[in-house]
Amino acid sequence: MAEQNAPVTTPGTTELWVERTGTRRYTGRSTRGAEVLIGSADVPGVFTPGELLKIALAACTGLSSDLPLSRRLGDNFDATIRVSGDADRENEVYPQLDEVLEIDLSELDEAARERLLVTVQRAVDRVCTVGRTLKAGSKVTLNFSVEA
């Protein structure tokens, strides 16, 4: 049997793990008390792992763009980041993920809009760890902890 609470982390980081809660159902957890329901696409009320990957990318873009946007628009601006991309089921990869940042910049003139969008793009390119990891690729390892 695999250890249930055996995330691999460095000291001082948030530990993350998933626990099986039913057939094709898992709950993702963190030591900060967060939970997310995960399962296959035919299970209601859960995210698939691929959906979580896309949400992580969109959330990272949002958080990375938040400071430059709030500096220019104030703290109460609305933003939505939509992300899409179909899976290549033959190879089990997402060959492309497309994001759209929806934001109202109608209060700004064209030059100010363009400057802000360049600043936001630079911020996302510089500090969005999820996007940078996806673009660069990442080594992934799997180890086992079993009771014999």
Side-chain angles (χ1 to χ4, degrees), residues 131-144:
R132 292 173 59 86
T133 300
L134 289 170
K135 289 174 186 174
S138 182
K139 179 181 175 184
V140 178
T141 63
L142 173 63
N143 297 294
F144 297 92

Side-chain angles (χ1 to χ4, degrees), residues 17 20 24 27 39 41 43 47 53 60 67 69 74 96-97 99 101 113 115 124 140 143-144 146:
W17 68 97
R20 187 172 191 267
R24 312 250 329 132
T27 299
V43 176
F47 290 106
L53 174 74
C60 191
L67 187 58
L69 288 170
Q96 181 168 331
L97 298 175
E99 294 181 281
L101 171 56
R113 279 195 302 272
R115 283 191 306 273
V124 171
V140 178
N143 297 294
F144 297 92
V146 297

